[in-house]
Amino acid sequence: ILASILSLIIYWIIRDRYRVRNLNGKHVFITGCDTGLGNSLAKWLDRKGFCVIAACATEKGSQELRSCSSLSLKTVNLNLADSNSIARAVMFVTEQTAGKGLFGLVSNAEGTAPLGPTDWLSIEDFHSVLDVSLLGLIEITLKLLPLLKKAEGRVVNLINAKGLMAFVGGGYSLSKWGMEAFSDTLRIEMQHFGVKVSIVEHGFFKAEEVNSDIIEKHLFKLWNRLTPEIRDSYGEKYL
């Protein structure tokens, strides 16, 4: 019993050494903050005392987030499929951090992902998700690395675990597997600079429950644009 109590005390002492202290002045940049997990995280970190910079895809999302947060939370519009938008967001983050560097980068945004058999899809369908969820994530991470290295900060990539199961065609699973590989490589390389790189594989949240009506609508849209040859090869029964 004494050994168990001693082990528990040692565990708590070690764990508390890794708790982040002095939160004031530490800047965290989060993508995908219009709704869902990114939105909730921005509000939570703001309440904790971090200097949150929240990237939203729409002005409406930015306004709603600012209306229920402290004055220290800042928002910036960001389209991860647009290099110019990424450059403007990086400039904004650089100005807000004012030479202190960036304590944290949390990547959360997801592109629209048509789901269906692979040969029902076009290359544009793959671009619609990969340009945002993978290439956009990589681009903004690369451009923010100098600020992260300056603060010896951390990168946290949020990955929906359902994307790690390759059960349907499209770019969604490709983007998630690509994020895993990019994160694992970056983690090794950034150790030299004191920058931590983490992956959080999460499941479904209430805000992300699957809407079968939307999935069915997308499937019929894909089906209706197929060539007669491909449609005949599958048949109405398959649909």
Side-chain angles (χ1 to χ4, degrees):
I1 293 174
L2 289 175
S4 299
I5 294 173
L6 182 60
S7 298
L8 186 61
I9 292 172
I10 293 173
Y11 165 76
W12 279 100
I13 292 173
I14 293 174
R15 197 192 76 154
D16 282 352
R17 288 179 58 194
Y18 290 92
R19 192 181 299 272
V20 178
R21 309 289 182 183
N22 302 319
L23 307 184
N24 291 333
K26 286 183 167 62
H27 290 81
V28 179
F29 179 57
I30 310 170
T31 66
C33 293
D34 294 80
T35 59
L37 182 56
N39 183 278
S40 298
L41 180 62
K43 294 174 183 175
W44 187 78
L45 291 179
D46 178 53
R47 291 194 297 269
K48 288 290 183 180
F50 285 98
C51 298
V52 176
I53 306 172
C56 298
T58 64
E59 184 58 35
K60 179 183 178 182
S62 296
Q63 291 176 356
E64 290 179 350
L65 181 56
R66 288 197 301 268
S67 68
C68 55
S69 305
S70 74
L71 294 176
S72 67
L73 184 143
K74 308 296 181 183
T75 62
V76 59
N77 290 341
L78 175 62
N79 176 7
L80 283 172
D82 182 356
S83 292
N84 292 326
S85 178
I86 291 175
R88 288 192 293 270
V90 170
M91 181 67 69
F92 183 80
V93 173
T94 303
E95 292 171 352
Q96 291 296 315
T97 54
K100 298 177 182 178
L102 184 62
F103 180 75
L105 166 62
V106 182
S107 293
N108 171 60
E110 293 189 345
T112 56
L115 300 177
T118 300
D119 62 350
W120 291 21
L121 305 172
S122 66
I123 192 64
E124 287 76 22
D125 294 324
F126 284 87
H127 277 295
S128 68
V129 60
L130 292 175
D131 287 351
V132 174
S133 297
L134 182 58
L135 298 178
L137 174 144
I138 291 173
E139 183 174 355
I140 199 163
T141 302
L142 293 177
K143 290 185 175 179
L144 288 173
L145 280 180
L147 294 179
L148 289 161
K149 288 158 71 175
K150 186 169 188 175
E152 294 190 358
R154 67 279 320 279
V155 177
V156 180
N157 290 329
L158 306 182
I159 300 176
N160 197 320
K162 70 177 183 285
L164 301 177
M165 299 178 287
F167 62 91
V168 69
Y172 193 78
S173 292
L174 294 178
S175 70
K176 301 310 170 190
W177 289 11
M179 286 172 65
E180 291 263 347
F182 175 71
S183 302
D184 289 343
T185 304
L186 190 66
R187 181 184 306 113
I188 297 169
E189 296 169 346
M190 287 296 109
Q191 285 179 349
H192 174 73
F193 301 99
V195 175
K196 300 179 178 66
V197 179
S198 302
I199 300 169
V200 176
E201 296 174 354
H202 61 82
F204 280 105
F205 289 83
K206 187 174 182 181
E208 297 177 344
E209 287 177 353
V210 175
N211 188 325
S212 59
D213 291 335
I214 294 176
I215 293 176
E216 185 174 317
K217 181 180 177 181
H218 280 303
L219 283 172
F220 275 109
K221 183 178 179 180
L222 292 174
W223 175 260
N224 290 331
R225 79 180 191 190
L226 292 177
T227 64
E229 291 80 10
I230 295 179
R231 196 180 301 159
D232 291 342
S233 71
Y234 281 91
E236 293 282 349
K237 186 177 179 180
Y238 183 90
L239 176 65

